[in-house]
Amino acid sequence: MGGALHIVVLDGPPGLIESAALRVTELERRWTRFSPTSELSRLSACAGTPTFVSPETAYLVSRACAAWDRTGGAFDPTVHDSVIALGYDTDLATVRQRISRTAPTVPAPAPGCTGIEVDVASGYVWLPADVRIDPGGIGKGLAADLVAAAIVAAGATGALVNIGGDLRATGQAPSGGWRIGIEDPHQTKRHLTTLSIEDGAVATSSGLKRRWATADGWVHHLVDPRTGRPVAEPFDSITVVSNDAWWAEAMTKALMVTPVAEWSALLTDEHVLAVRPDGSIVSHRRGQPIEQVAA
């Protein structure tokens, strides 16, 4: 899923780490947009007609649509065509090796999730003919949620699953809680802070790492669904702490495209740590106003 995988299991029967890693691999195989045989690619290819997929894939689409609805469209899984138009049509390593002499295709706003139909129990999904899904990081977050829960259900006392920076901890935490370092986007070997969580999720989004060259200059994967263009990056990274990793990941994207003055309409019980290019920080904690700290 485009990053390192870390699995930590507390107690429980042997073999849980191996089975959890296989489960992540299985979900990636179903959800990647880089394979024409994945269930996600099949959904996009069959847009406009009813399609049946695994319950897990249907659940992914339902969570992505729920995030779109809850954020008023600030998170949008239908940016697929915009991302492709920018040149991100295969894995990032290949995209970066490509010497691009052509400008990206003229972008267009994402169509949004209106009209998408999903029934998780049966695996039924219907996408409108002009809609293709790119769940982006929400797939990593949801996979972390599902796999961590499965580890505990299989007999572990507690579990932590970190997929490319989208992390979910559940069950009983170690003494003192799970200690999670939040990386400084400007100094990769330095932590801005260290969090202690018992049962919850952490996700971070940044436009600094997934970049590639085009004839119009450097672009990145964080797309504003209202324009189809890369976000103008008022922040170099946004970290969100919440109950579920799929929601924490969706919120990082939603906050990237939302002015800070409007964050209060989106935030409920999340913790947020956002870093501007000049090193200044915007933070929010449950029950407290949004705080801006100078560099």
Side-chain angles (χ1 to χ4, degrees):
M1 294 191 180
L5 170 64
H6 301 95
I7 301 171
V8 183
V9 174
L10 300 183
D11 301 322
L16 287 184
I17 289 180
E18 292 79 7
S19 61
L22 288 174
R23 180 67 168 146
V24 173
T25 300
E26 177 189 11
L27 292 174
E28 179 181 33
R29 178 172 50 80
R30 291 178 177 177
W31 296 351
T32 179
R33 66 179 176 86
F34 300 133
S35 169
T37 61
S38 74
E39 291 187 335
L40 196 69
S41 293
R42 182 157 58 86
L43 276 177
S44 294
C46 296
T49 60
T51 307
F52 286 89
V53 293
S54 66
E56 292 88 349
T57 300
Y59 187 55
L60 172 67
V61 176
S62 75
R63 292 301 83 196
C65 291
W68 174 82
D69 183 61
R70 288 171 60 179
T71 62
F75 169 83
D76 195 325
T78 69
V79 295
H80 177 280
D81 289 3
S82 298
V83 175
I84 297 298
L86 289 169
Y88 196 1
D89 54 357
T90 184
D91 67 274
L92 188 61
T94 303
V95 171
R96 283 175 169 167
Q97 291 174 358
R98 182 186 300 157
I99 300 175
S100 178
R101 294 184 175 86
T102 59
T105 305
V106 176
C113 295
T114 301
I116 295 178
E117 299 176 5
V118 185
D119 181 79
V120 174
S122 67
Y124 166 83
V125 180
W126 187 85
L127 302 181
D130 63 339
V131 172
R132 278 158 287 280
I133 295 290
D134 178 11
I138 199 173
K140 295 188 300 180
L142 184 58
D145 288 329
L146 294 176
V147 173
I151 291 171
V152 173
T157 302
L160 182 147
V161 177
N162 176 17
I163 306 176
D166 286 4
L167 176 152
R168 177 64 190 274
T170 191
Q172 181 178 317
S175 176
W178 297 99
R179 304 282 289 173
I180 312 299
I182 305 303
E183 186 179 273
D184 184 336
H186 305 134
Q187 300 181 48
T188 57
K189 294 184 179 181
R190 174 179 178 267
H191 286 166
L192 292 171
T193 188
T194 300
L195 307 175
S196 178
I197 64 173
E198 297 291 328
D199 189 313
V202 182
T204 299
S205 285
S206 173
L208 296 181
K209 295 183 178 180
R210 292 181 181 271
R211 291 174 171 266
W212 61 96
T214 72
D216 282 348
W218 288 89
V219 296
H220 58 81
H221 73 298
L222 299 178
V223 171
D224 187 334
R226 298 164 298 187
T227 64
R229 298 179 182 274
V231 178
E233 294 185 284
F235 294 101
D236 280 347
S237 72
I238 294 181
T239 297
V240 173
V241 183
S242 190
N243 295 324
D244 301 299
W246 72 268
W247 177 245
E249 170 63 38
M251 281 296 292
T252 64
K253 300 298 194 299
L255 295 176
M256 276 284 185
V257 304
T258 303
V260 174
E262 300 174 17
W263 279 14
S264 296
L266 292 176
L267 295 170
T268 53
D269 61 350
E270 298 84 12
H271 292 183
V272 179
L273 183 69
V275 184
R276 297 186 189 276
D278 65 1
S280 61
I281 292 174
V282 175
S283 65
H284 166 79
R285 293 180 66 85
R286 294 184 181 97
Q288 297 181 10
I290 295 169
E291 180 183 5
Q292 304 198 39
V293 182

